[in-house]
Structure formats: C-alpha cells, structure tokens
Amino acid sequence: LFRLVKYMDKWFREETHLKSVGMRSLILSVIYIQHLQELIPEFELNDLNVHRLFLISMLLAAKFNEDIPISNKYWSKVGGINMKQLNSLESIFCSLTQFKLFVEDDEVDAIFEEFKPTLSA
C-alpha cells in the first residue's frame, strides 16, 4: 500500500484542479483497498491493476464521503476507461468488499497518521 499512497500523493500534488476530492476520501480509498486485501488474501496489488483499483476506490470513497460527488462520466474521462468498464469495476469492487463502505473515524485517523510523513513531504 505504500506504493499506492505515493501514487496518490503524486496525483494529488499534480492535479490541483481535482482537489474537490478531499483528503478523507483519499484515505478512505486506501482503507477500501486494505479491506479488499483482508477479505481476499490472494489478491495482489500490482502495476497492472493499481490504476483501475485506485480509480474505483477513489470513486467509491468520494461518493460515500463527499457532499457533491463527481459523476461517473468524469471519473471515466479522468481514468481513461470507458463508462461500461468503470461501472462494471465499481459493481465488482462493491461486491468483493461486501458493500462495506463505512469506516470508523479511528481507522481513518490511524491510516492518516501512518502515511502522514509521505503526504506532507
């Protein structure tokens, strides 16, 4: 997950016009991926799936956490995948994580503290 957080940090710094997605959503996306890895231990995060996985976890985190979520059409454009694939990946991710998107504040705070030096460097 450290590689994912570095990717997230780089994206957040470079895409200043996308800061409508808050830091809590960024942290939630990491937690969603951790939960997926806990539920499916044989699941491996790698160079071939990190882009789509991060995109979908961010989409879900923003939808769950933000007052005005970004449309799937926009996520599709930013992520470079078509709407059909995006919607399919969203559905699959939700099913694999058993639709558990609520995360306790303590867990969010712990992840933030764990990666705080990375995010502020």
Side-chain angles (χ1 to χ4, degrees):
L1 280 175
F2 185 73
R3 187 181 336 162
L4 178 62
V5 171
K6 286 178 73 173
Y7 174 79
M8 173 180 80
D9 186 47
K10 182 179 179 202
W11 174 70
F12 188 71
R13 289 174 193 270
E14 291 178 359
E15 302 296 337
T16 56
H17 63 284
L18 296 178
K19 288 192 178 184
S20 62
V21 177
M23 184 57 68
R24 184 175 176 85
S25 292
L26 292 170
I27 298 299
L28 283 173
S29 71
V30 172
I31 293 171
Y32 292 165
I33 293 169
Q34 278 185 325
H35 288 179
L36 179 65
Q37 290 178 312
E38 290 167 5
L39 289 167
I40 307 170
E42 62 274 9
F43 177 80
E44 183 180 322
L45 187 63
N46 59 48
D47 291 340
L48 300 176
N49 65 16
V50 67
H51 171 260
R52 286 179 173 80
L53 187 61
F54 183 59
L55 177 70
I56 296 305
S57 65
M58 279 298 304
L59 176 149
L60 290 169
K63 281 186 175 183
F64 191 79
N65 188 58
E66 304 289 332
D67 290 335
I68 304 172
I70 299 168
S71 71
N72 278 21
K73 183 177 180 181
Y74 184 79
W75 284 105
S76 172
K77 181 179 177 182
V78 170
I81 62 175
N82 65 50
M83 283 287 292
K84 183 176 180 181
Q85 187 178 28
L86 182 85
N87 292 335
S88 177
L89 289 171
E90 180 182 12
S91 177
I92 290 167
F93 192 96
C94 284
S95 293
L96 290 174
T97 57
Q98 303 169 352
F99 293 85
K100 294 182 180 175
L101 299 178
F102 176 79
V103 177
E104 295 287 343
D105 288 340
D106 292 348
E107 188 174 3
V108 174
D109 294 343
I111 294 295
F112 182 76
E113 287 302 317
E114 182 179 344
F115 294 111
K116 195 174 186 177
T118 302
L119 295 173
S120 62

